Coordinates of all heavy atoms in Angstrom, one line a residue:
M1 N 137.9 86.9 130.5 CA 137.2 88.1 130.8 C 136.1 88.2 129.6 O 136.5 88.1 128.5 CB 138.1 89.3 130.8 CG 137.4 90.5 131.2 SD 138.7 91.7 131.6 CE 138.1 93.1 130.7
Q2 N 134.9 88.4 130.0 CA 133.8 88.5 129.0 C 133.6 90.0 128.7 O 133.5 90.9 129.5 CB 132.6 87.9 129.7 CG 131.5 87.6 128.6 CD 130.4 86.9 129.3 OE1 130.1 87.1 130.5 NE2 129.7 86.1 128.5
R3 N 133.5 90.2 127.3 CA 133.2 91.6 126.9 C 131.7 91.9 127.0 O 130.9 91.0 126.8 CB 133.5 91.7 125.4 CG 135.0 91.8 125.1 CD 135.1 92.2 123.6 NE 136.2 91.6 123.0 CZ 136.5 91.6 121.7 NH1 135.6 92.1 120.9 NH2 137.5 91.1 121.3
P4 N 131.5 93.1 127.3 CA 130.1 93.5 127.4 C 129.5 93.5 126.0 O 130.1 94.0 125.0 CB 130.1 94.9 128.0 CG 131.4 95.4 127.8 CD 132.3 94.2 127.7
T5 N 128.4 92.9 125.8 CA 127.7 92.9 124.5 C 126.8 94.1 124.3 O 126.1 94.4 125.2 CB 126.9 91.6 124.3 OG1 126.0 91.5 125.3 CG2 127.9 90.4 124.3
E6 N 126.9 94.7 123.1 CA 126.0 95.8 122.8 C 124.7 95.2 122.3 O 124.7 94.3 121.4 CB 126.6 96.7 121.8 CG 127.8 97.5 122.3 CD 128.2 98.5 121.3 OE1 127.4 99.0 120.6 OE2 129.4 98.8 121.3
T7 N 123.6 95.7 122.8 CA 122.4 95.2 122.2 C 121.8 96.4 121.4 O 122.0 97.6 121.7 CB 121.4 94.9 123.3 OG1 121.2 96.0 124.2 CG2 121.9 93.7 124.1
I8 N 121.1 96.0 120.4 CA 120.4 97.0 119.5 C 118.9 96.7 119.4 O 118.6 95.5 119.3 CB 121.1 97.1 118.2 CG1 120.5 98.2 117.3 CG2 121.0 95.8 117.4 CD1 121.3 98.6 116.1
D9 N 118.2 97.6 119.6 CA 116.7 97.5 119.5 C 116.3 97.1 118.0 O 117.0 97.6 117.1 CB 116.1 98.8 119.9 CG 114.5 98.7 120.0 OD1 113.9 98.3 119.0 OD2 114.0 99.0 121.0
E10 N 115.3 96.4 117.9 CA 114.8 96.0 116.5 C 114.5 97.2 115.7 O 114.8 97.2 114.5 CB 113.6 95.0 116.7 CG 113.2 94.4 115.3 CD 112.1 93.4 115.5 OE1 112.0 92.8 116.6 OE2 111.3 93.2 114.6
R11 N 113.8 98.1 116.3 CA 113.4 99.4 115.5 C 114.7 100.2 115.1 O 114.7 100.7 114.0 CB 112.5 100.2 116.3 CG 111.1 99.7 116.5 CD 110.3 100.6 117.2 NE 108.9 100.3 116.9 CZ 107.9 101.0 117.2 NH1 108.1 102.2 117.8 NH2 106.7 100.6 117.0
D12 N 115.7 100.2 116.0 CA 116.9 100.9 115.6 C 117.6 100.2 114.5 O 118.2 100.9 113.6 CB 117.8 101.0 116.9 CG 117.3 101.9 117.9 OD1 116.4 102.7 117.6 OD2 117.7 101.8 119.1
L13 N 117.6 98.9 114.5 CA 118.2 98.1 113.5 C 117.5 98.4 112.1 O 118.1 98.6 111.1 CB 118.2 96.6 113.8 CG 118.7 95.7 112.7 CD1 120.2 96.0 112.4 CD2 118.5 94.2 113.1
E14 N 116.2 98.3 112.1 CA 115.4 98.6 110.9 C 115.7 100.0 110.4 O 115.9 100.2 109.2 CB 113.9 98.5 111.2 CG 113.4 97.1 111.4 CD 112.0 97.0 111.8 OE1 111.3 98.0 111.9 OE2 111.5 95.9 112.0
R15 N 115.7 101.0 111.3 CA 116.0 102.4 110.9 C 117.4 102.5 110.3 O 117.6 103.2 109.3 CB 115.8 103.3 112.1 CG 115.7 104.7 111.8 CD 115.4 105.6 113.0 NE 114.2 105.2 113.6 CZ 114.0 104.9 114.9 NH1 115.1 104.9 115.7 NH2 112.9 104.5 115.4
E16 N 118.4 101.9 110.9 CA 119.7 101.9 110.4 C 119.9 101.3 109.0 O 120.6 101.8 108.2 CB 120.7 101.3 111.4 CG 122.1 101.5 111.1 CD 122.5 102.9 111.0 OE1 122.0 103.8 111.8 OE2 123.4 103.3 110.2
L17 N 119.2 100.1 108.9 CA 119.3 99.4 107.6 C 118.6 100.3 106.5 O 119.1 100.4 105.4 CB 118.6 98.1 107.7 CG 119.4 97.0 108.4 CD1 118.5 95.7 108.6 CD2 120.7 96.7 107.8
L18 N 117.5 100.9 106.8 CA 116.8 101.8 105.9 C 117.7 103.0 105.5 O 117.8 103.3 104.3 CB 115.4 102.3 106.5 CG 114.6 103.2 105.6 CD1 114.2 102.5 104.3 CD2 113.4 103.7 106.4
R19 N 118.3 103.6 106.5 CA 119.2 104.7 106.3 C 120.3 104.3 105.4 O 120.7 105.1 104.4 CB 119.7 105.2 107.6 CG 120.4 106.5 107.5 CD 120.7 107.1 108.9 NE 119.5 107.4 109.6 CZ 119.3 107.2 110.9 NH1 120.2 106.7 111.6 NH2 118.2 107.6 111.4
K20 N 120.9 103.2 105.6 CA 122.0 102.7 104.7 C 121.5 102.4 103.3 O 122.2 102.8 102.3 CB 122.6 101.4 105.3 CG 123.6 101.7 106.4 CD 124.2 100.4 106.9 CE 125.2 100.6 108.0 NZ 125.9 99.4 108.4
G21 N 120.3 101.8 103.2 CA 119.8 101.5 101.9 C 119.5 102.8 101.1 O 119.8 102.9 99.9
V22 N 118.9 103.8 101.7 CA 118.6 105.1 101.0 C 119.9 105.8 100.6 O 120.1 106.3 99.5 CB 117.8 106.0 101.9 CG1 117.7 107.4 101.3 CG2 116.4 105.4 102.1
G23 N 120.9 105.7 101.5 CA 122.2 106.3 101.2 C 122.9 105.7 100.0 O 123.4 106.3 99.2
A24 N 122.8 104.3 100.0 CA 123.4 103.6 98.9 C 122.7 103.9 97.6 O 123.3 104.0 96.5 CB 123.4 102.1 99.1
L25 N 121.4 104.0 97.6 CA 120.6 104.3 96.4 C 120.9 105.7 95.9 O 121.1 106.0 94.7 CB 119.1 104.2 96.8 CG 118.1 104.4 95.6 CD1 118.4 103.3 94.6 CD2 116.7 104.3 96.1
R26 N 121.0 106.7 96.9 CA 121.4 108.1 96.5 C 122.7 108.2 95.8 O 123.0 109.0 94.9 CB 121.3 109.0 97.7 CG 120.0 109.6 97.9 CD 120.1 110.8 98.8 NE 118.8 111.2 99.1 CZ 118.4 111.7 100.2 NH1 119.3 111.9 101.1 NH2 117.2 112.0 100.4
A27 N 123.7 107.3 96.3 CA 125.0 107.4 95.7 C 125.1 106.9 94.3 O 125.9 107.3 93.5 CB 125.9 106.5 96.6
T28 N 124.1 106.1 93.9 CA 124.1 105.5 92.5 C 123.2 106.3 91.6 O 123.4 106.2 90.4 CB 123.6 104.1 92.5 OG1 122.3 104.0 93.0 CG2 124.5 103.2 93.3
T29 N 122.4 107.2 92.1 CA 121.5 108.0 91.2 C 122.2 109.3 90.9 O 123.0 109.9 91.7 CB 120.1 108.2 91.8 OG1 120.3 108.9 93.1 CG2 119.4 106.9 92.0
R30 N 121.8 109.9 89.8 CA 122.3 111.2 89.4 C 121.2 112.2 89.5 O 120.1 111.9 89.2 CB 122.9 111.1 88.0 CG 124.0 110.1 87.9 CD 124.7 110.1 86.6 NE 123.8 109.9 85.4 CZ 124.1 110.0 84.2 NH1 125.4 110.2 83.9 NH2 123.3 109.9 83.2
Q31 N 121.6 113.4 89.8 CA 120.6 114.5 90.0 C 120.8 115.6 88.9 O 122.0 115.8 88.5 CB 120.7 115.0 91.4 CG 120.4 114.0 92.4 CD 120.5 114.6 93.8 OE1 121.3 115.4 94.1 NE2 119.7 114.1 94.7
C32 N 119.8 116.3 88.6 CA 119.9 117.4 87.7 C 120.7 118.5 88.3 O 120.6 118.9 89.5 CB 118.5 118.0 87.4 SG 118.5 119.4 86.4
A33 N 121.6 119.1 87.5 CA 122.6 120.1 88.0 C 121.8 121.4 88.3 O 122.3 122.2 89.1 CB 123.7 120.4 87.0
D34 N 120.7 121.6 87.7 CA 120.0 122.9 87.8 C 118.9 122.9 88.9 O 118.8 123.8 89.7 CB 119.3 123.3 86.5 CG 120.3 123.7 85.4 OD1 121.5 123.8 85.8 OD2 119.9 123.9 84.3
C35 N 118.1 121.8 89.0 CA 117.0 121.8 90.0 C 117.2 120.8 91.1 O 116.5 120.8 92.1 CB 115.7 121.5 89.3 SG 115.5 119.9 88.6
G36 N 118.2 119.9 90.9 CA 118.5 118.9 92.0 C 117.6 117.7 92.0 O 117.7 116.9 92.8
R37 N 116.7 117.7 91.1 CA 115.7 116.6 91.0 C 116.4 115.3 90.5 O 117.2 115.4 89.6 CB 114.5 117.0 90.1 CG 113.4 116.0 90.1 CD 112.2 116.7 89.3 NE 112.6 116.8 87.9 CZ 112.4 115.9 87.0 NH1 112.0 114.7 87.3 NH2 112.8 116.1 85.7
T38 N 115.9 114.2 90.9 CA 116.4 112.9 90.3 C 115.5 112.6 89.2 O 114.3 112.4 89.4 CB 116.3 111.8 91.4 OG1 117.2 112.1 92.5 CG2 116.8 110.5 90.8
P39 N 116.1 112.5 88.0 CA 115.2 112.2 86.8 C 114.5 110.8 86.9 O 115.1 109.9 87.5 CB 116.2 112.2 85.6 CG 117.4 113.0 86.1 CD 117.4 112.7 87.6
L40 N 113.3 110.7 86.4 CA 112.6 109.5 86.4 C 113.0 108.5 85.4 O 113.6 108.9 84.3 CB 111.1 109.8 86.2 CG 110.5 110.8 87.2 CD1 109.1 111.2 86.8 CD2 110.5 110.2 88.6
V41 N 112.7 107.3 85.6 CA 113.0 106.2 84.6 C 112.2 106.5 83.4 O 111.0 106.8 83.4 CB 112.6 104.8 85.2 CG1 112.8 103.8 84.1 CG2 113.5 104.5 86.4
G42 N 112.9 106.5 82.2 CA 112.2 106.8 80.9 C 112.3 108.2 80.5 O 112.0 108.6 79.4
E43 N 112.8 109.1 81.4 CA 112.9 110.5 81.1 C 114.2 110.7 80.3 O 115.2 110.1 80.6 CB 112.9 111.3 82.4 CG 113.0 112.8 82.2 CD 112.9 113.5 83.6 OE1 112.5 112.9 84.6 OE2 113.3 114.7 83.6
H44 N 114.2 111.7 79.4 CA 115.4 112.1 78.7 C 116.3 113.0 79.7 O 115.7 113.9 80.3 CB 115.1 112.9 77.5 CG 114.7 112.0 76.4 ND1 113.4 111.7 76.2 CD2 115.4 111.3 75.4 CE1 113.2 110.8 75.2 NE2 114.4 110.6 74.7
V45 N 117.6 112.8 79.7 CA 118.5 113.6 80.4 C 119.6 114.1 79.4 O 119.9 113.4 78.4 CB 119.1 113.0 81.6 CG1 118.1 112.7 82.7 CG2 119.8 111.7 81.3
H46 N 120.2 115.2 79.7 CA 121.1 115.8 78.7 C 122.4 116.1 79.4 O 122.4 116.7 80.5 CB 120.5 117.1 78.1 CG 119.1 116.8 77.6 ND1 118.9 116.3 76.3 CD2 117.9 117.1 78.1 CE1 117.6 116.2 76.1 NE2 117.0 116.7 77.2
T47 N 123.5 115.8 78.8 CA 124.8 116.1 79.4 C 125.4 117.3 78.6 O 125.4 117.3 77.4 CB 125.8 114.9 79.2 OG1 125.1 113.8 79.8 CG2 127.1 115.1 79.9
F48 N 125.9 118.3 79.3 CA 126.4 119.5 78.7 C 128.0 119.4 78.8 O 128.5 118.6 79.5 CB 125.9 120.7 79.4 CG 124.5 121.0 78.9 CD1 123.4 120.4 79.5 CD2 124.2 121.9 77.9 CE1 122.1 120.6 79.0 CE2 123.0 122.1 77.4 CZ 121.9 121.5 78.0
P49 N 128.6 120.3 78.0 CA 130.1 120.2 77.9 C 130.9 120.1 79.2 O 131.9 119.4 79.3 CB 130.5 121.5 77.2 CG 129.3 121.9 76.4 CD 128.1 121.4 77.2
R50 N 130.5 120.7 80.3 CA 131.2 120.6 81.5 C 130.9 119.3 82.3 O 131.2 119.1 83.5 CB 131.0 121.8 82.4 CG 131.6 123.0 81.9 CD 131.4 124.1 82.9 NE 131.2 125.4 82.2 CZ 130.7 126.5 82.7 NH1 130.2 126.4 83.9 NH2 130.6 127.6 82.0
G51 N 130.1 118.4 81.7 CA 129.7 117.2 82.3 C 128.5 117.3 83.2 O 128.1 116.4 84.0
E52 N 127.8 118.5 83.1 CA 126.6 118.7 83.9 C 125.4 117.9 83.4 O 125.2 117.9 82.2 CB 126.2 120.2 84.0 CG 127.3 121.0 84.6 CD 127.0 122.5 84.2 OE1 127.0 122.8 83.0 OE2 126.9 123.3 85.2
L53 N 124.7 117.2 84.2 CA 123.5 116.5 83.8 C 122.3 117.3 84.0 O 122.2 117.9 85.1 CB 123.4 115.2 84.6 CG 122.3 114.3 84.2 CD1 122.7 113.5 83.0 CD2 121.9 113.4 85.4
V54 N 121.5 117.5 83.0 CA 120.3 118.4 83.1 C 119.1 117.6 82.7 O 119.1 116.9 81.7 CB 120.5 119.6 82.2 CG1 119.2 120.5 82.3 CG2 121.7 120.4 82.7
C55 N 118.0 117.7 83.5 CA 116.8 117.0 83.3 C 116.0 117.6 82.1 O 116.3 118.7 81.6 CB 115.9 116.9 84.5 SG 115.1 118.4 85.0
E56 N 115.0 116.9 81.7 CA 114.2 117.3 80.5 C 113.5 118.7 80.8 O 113.3 119.5 79.9 CB 113.1 116.2 80.2 CG 112.3 116.5 79.0 CD 113.2 116.4 77.7 OE1 114.2 115.6 77.7 OE2 112.9 117.1 76.7
L57 N 113.1 118.9 82.1 CA 112.4 120.1 82.4 C 113.3 121.3 82.4 O 112.8 122.4 82.0 CB 111.7 120.0 83.8 CG 110.7 118.9 84.0 CD1 110.2 118.8 85.4 CD2 109.5 119.1 83.0
C58 N 114.5 121.2 82.7 CA 115.5 122.3 82.8 C 116.2 122.5 81.5 O 116.8 123.5 81.3 CB 116.5 122.1 83.9 SG 115.8 122.0 85.5
R59 N 116.1 121.6 80.6 CA 116.8 121.6 79.3 C 116.5 122.9 78.5 O 117.4 123.6 78.0 CB 116.5 120.4 78.5 CG 116.9 120.4 77.0 CD 118.3 120.6 76.7 NE 118.6 120.8 75.3 CZ 118.7 122.0 74.8 NH1 118.6 123.1 75.5 NH2 119.0 122.1 73.5
P60 N 115.2 123.3 78.4 CA 114.9 124.6 77.6 C 115.5 125.8 78.2 O 115.6 126.8 77.5 CB 113.4 124.6 77.7 CG 112.9 123.2 78.0 CD 114.0 122.6 78.8
L61 N 115.9 125.8 79.5 CA 116.5 127.0 80.1 C 118.0 127.2 79.7 O 118.5 128.3 80.0 CB 116.4 126.9 81.6 CG 115.0 126.7 82.2 CD1 115.0 126.4 83.7 CD2 114.1 127.8 81.8
R62 N 118.6 126.2 79.1 CA 120.0 126.3 78.7 C 120.0 126.9 77.3 O 119.2 126.5 76.4 CB 120.6 124.9 78.7 CG 120.7 124.3 80.1 CD 121.9 124.8 80.8 NE 122.1 124.2 82.1 CZ 123.2 123.8 82.6 NH1 124.3 123.8 81.9 NH2 123.2 123.3 83.8
R63 N 121.0 127.7 77.0 CA 121.2 128.3 75.7 C 122.0 127.4 74.8 O 121.9 127.5 73.6 CB 121.8 129.7 75.8 CG 120.9 130.6 76.5 CD 121.5 132.0 76.5 NE 120.6 132.9 77.2 CZ 120.8 134.1 77.6 NH1 122.0 134.7 77.3 NH2 120.0 134.9 78.2
T64 N 122.9 126.6 75.3 CA 123.8 125.8 74.5 C 123.1 124.4 74.3 O 122.2 124.0 75.0 CB 125.2 125.6 75.2 OG1 125.0 125.0 76.5 CG2 125.9 126.9 75.3
S65 N 123.7 123.7 73.3 CA 123.1 122.4 73.0 C 123.9 121.4 73.8 O 125.1 121.5 74.1 CB 123.4 122.1 71.5 OG 122.6 122.9 70.7
P66 N 123.2 120.3 74.2 CA 123.9 119.3 75.0 C 124.8 118.4 74.1 O 124.7 118.3 72.9 CB 122.7 118.4 75.5 CG 121.6 118.6 74.5 CD 121.8 120.0 74.0
V67 N 125.8 117.9 74.8 CA 126.8 117.0 74.1 C 126.2 115.7 73.8 O 126.4 115.1 72.8 CB 128.1 116.9 75.0 CG1 129.0 115.9 74.4 CG2 128.7 118.2 75.2
E68 N 125.4 115.2 74.8 CA 124.8 113.9 74.7 C 123.4 113.9 75.4 O 123.2 114.6 76.3 CB 125.7 112.9 75.4 CG 125.2 111.5 75.3 CD 126.2 110.5 76.0 OE1 126.7 110.9 77.1 OE2 126.4 109.4 75.5
S69 N 122.5 113.1 74.8 CA 121.2 113.0 75.4 C 120.9 111.5 75.6 O 121.3 110.7 74.7 CB 120.1 113.6 74.6 OG 120.3 115.0 74.5
E70 N 120.3 111.1 76.6 CA 120.0 109.7 76.8 C 118.7 109.5 77.7 O 118.3 110.4 78.3 CB 121.2 109.0 77.5 CG 121.5 109.5 78.9 CD 122.7 108.9 79.6 OE1 122.8 107.7 79.6 OE2 123.5 109.6 80.1
I71 N 118.3 108.3 77.7 CA 117.1 108.0 78.4 C 117.5 107.3 79.7 O 118.4 106.5 79.8 CB 116.1 107.0 77.7 CG1 115.6 107.7 76.4 CG2 115.0 106.5 78.5 CD1 114.8 106.8 75.5
V72 N 116.9 107.7 80.8 CA 117.2 107.1 82.1 C 116.7 105.7 82.2 O 115.5 105.5 81.9 CB 116.6 108.0 83.3 CG1 116.8 107.3 84.6 CG2 117.1 109.4 83.3
R73 N 117.5 104.8 82.5 CA 117.2 103.4 82.5 C 116.9 103.0 84.0 O 117.4 103.6 84.9 CB 118.3 102.5 82.0 CG 118.7 102.9 80.6 CD 117.7 102.3 79.6 NE 118.2 102.6 78.3 CZ 117.4 102.5 77.2 NH1 116.2 102.2 77.3 NH2 117.9 102.8 76.0
H74 N 116.2 101.9 84.1 CA 116.0 101.4 85.5 C 117.3 100.8 86.0 O 118.1 100.4 85.3 CB 114.9 100.2 85.4 CG 114.4 99.8 86.7 ND1 115.1 98.9 87.5 CD2 113.4 100.2 87.4 CE1 114.4 98.7 88.6 NE2 113.4 99.5 88.6
S75 N 117.4 100.9 87.3 CA 118.7 100.6 88.0 C 119.0 99.1 87.8 O 120.2 98.6 87.9 CB 118.7 100.9 89.4 OG 117.7 100.3 90.1
E76 N 118.0 98.3 87.6 CA 118.2 96.8 87.5 C 118.4 96.4 86.0 O 118.5 95.2 85.7 CB 117.0 96.1 88.0 CG 116.9 96.3 89.5 CD 115.7 95.5 90.1 OE1 115.0 94.9 89.4 OE2 115.5 95.6 91.3
R77 N 118.5 97.4 85.1 CA 118.7 97.0 83.7 C 120.0 96.3 83.5 O 121.1 96.8 84.0 CB 118.7 98.3 82.9 CG 118.8 98.0 81.4 CD 118.6 99.3 80.6 NE 118.5 99.0 79.2 CZ 119.5 99.0 78.3 NH1 120.7 99.4 78.8 NH2 119.3 98.7 77.1
G78 N 120.0 95.2 82.8 CA 121.2 94.4 82.6 C 121.5 93.4 83.7 O 122.4 92.6 83.5
L79 N 120.7 93.5 84.8 CA 121.0 92.5 85.9 C 120.0 91.4 85.9 O 120.0 90.5 86.7 CB 120.9 93.2 87.2 CG 121.9 94.4 87.4 CD1 121.7 95.1 88.7 CD2 123.3 93.8 87.3
T80 N 119.1 91.4 84.9 CA 118.1 90.4 84.9 C 118.6 89.1 84.3 O 119.6 89.1 83.6 CB 116.9 90.8 84.0 OG1 117.4 91.1 82.7 CG2 116.2 92.0 84.6
V81 N 118.0 88.0 84.6 CA 118.4 86.7 84.1 C 117.7 86.4 82.8 O 116.5 86.5 82.7 CB 118.1 85.6 85.2 CG1 118.5 84.2 84.6 CG2 118.8 85.9 86.5
R82 N 118.5 85.9 81.8 CA 117.9 85.6 80.6 C 118.1 84.1 80.3 O 119.1 83.6 80.6 CB 118.6 86.4 79.4 CG 118.3 87.8 79.5 CD 118.9 88.5 78.3 NE 118.8 90.0 78.6 CZ 119.5 90.8 77.9 NH1 120.3 90.4 76.9 NH2 119.4 92.1 78.1
V83 N 117.1 83.5 79.7 CA 117.2 82.1 79.3 C 118.0 82.1 77.9 O 117.5 82.7 76.9 CB 115.8 81.5 79.1 CG1 115.9 80.1 78.6 CG2 115.0 81.6 80.4
T84 N 119.1 81.5 77.9 CA 119.9 81.4 76.7 C 119.8 80.1 76.0 O 120.1 80.0 74.9 CB 121.4 81.7 77.0 OG1 121.9 80.8 78.0 CG2 121.6 83.2 77.5
Q85 N 119.5 79.1 76.8 CA 119.4 77.7 76.2 C 118.3 77.0 77.0 O 118.3 76.9 78.2 CB 120.8 77.0 76.4 CG 120.9 75.8 75.6 CD 122.3 75.2 75.7 OE1 123.0 75.4 76.7 NE2 122.7 74.6 74.7
R86 N 117.4 76.4 76.2 CA 116.3 75.7 76.8 C 116.7 74.2 77.0 O 117.3 73.7 76.1 CB 115.0 75.8 76.0 CG 114.5 77.3 76.0 CD 113.1 77.3 75.4 NE 112.6 78.6 75.3 CZ 112.0 79.3 76.3 NH1 111.7 78.6 77.4 NH2 111.5 80.5 76.1
A87 N 116.3 73.7 78.1 CA 116.5 72.2 78.3 C 115.6 71.4 77.5 O 114.4 71.8 77.2 CB 116.3 71.9 79.8
A88 N 116.0 70.3 77.0 CA 115.2 69.4 76.1 C 114.1 68.8 76.8 O 114.1 68.5 78.0 CB 116.1 68.4 75.4
Ligands
ZN101 ZN1 116.2 119.9 86.3

């Protein structure tokens, strides 16, 4: 007995792949606890005592000092290939 095969339109496939890619990207990025914006690469972000991440623009609105401040790195940082030994 042959199973009916499901066919998917090329546009539907592209749309579904794009949707999955955007969802995966959103899952790995962090957003500002106050404005909901995703901080840009190179921007300073601040972590407050409850673990809230606050962007550079919202930082002056807080009365307390952050526990930690860091620069947002590119998502591919550390994944690049480095030449460690040159061939003769
Ligand atoms: Zn913000």
Side-chain angles (χ1 to χ4, degrees):
M1 188 166 134
Q2 197 174 28
R3 283 193 215 169
T5 56
E6 288 186 35
T7 58
I8 186 166
D9 187 306
E10 188 176 332
R11 287 183 162 193
D12 291 340
L13 176 62
E14 288 176 0
R15 195 174 301 127
E16 187 61 31
L17 289 174
L18 178 63
R19 190 172 293 142
K20 281 185 178 181
V22 170
L25 186 62
R26 270 199 188 147
T28 60
T29 58
R30 300 187 308 176
Q31 297 178 329
C32 174
D34 290 352
C35 68
R37 186 175 66 85
T38 301
L40 302 173
V41 173
E43 182 178 345
H44 284 90
V45 291
H46 311 278
T47 305
F48 283 84
R50 291 186 212 158
E52 299 165 303
L53 184 80
V54 176
C55 73
E56 188 67 33
L57 299 175
C58 296
R59 163 65 187 94
L61 303 175
R62 298 276 179 136
R63 292 183 181 173
T64 58
S65 297
V67 174
E68 184 180 37
S69 296
E70 61 183 312
I71 296 175
V72 176
R73 304 283 183 195
H74 192 274
S75 62
E76 293 179 1
R77 183 173 190 262
L79 300 176
T80 56
V81 176
R82 292 183 189 167
V83 176
T84 55
Q85 193 173 29
R86 294 194 183 267

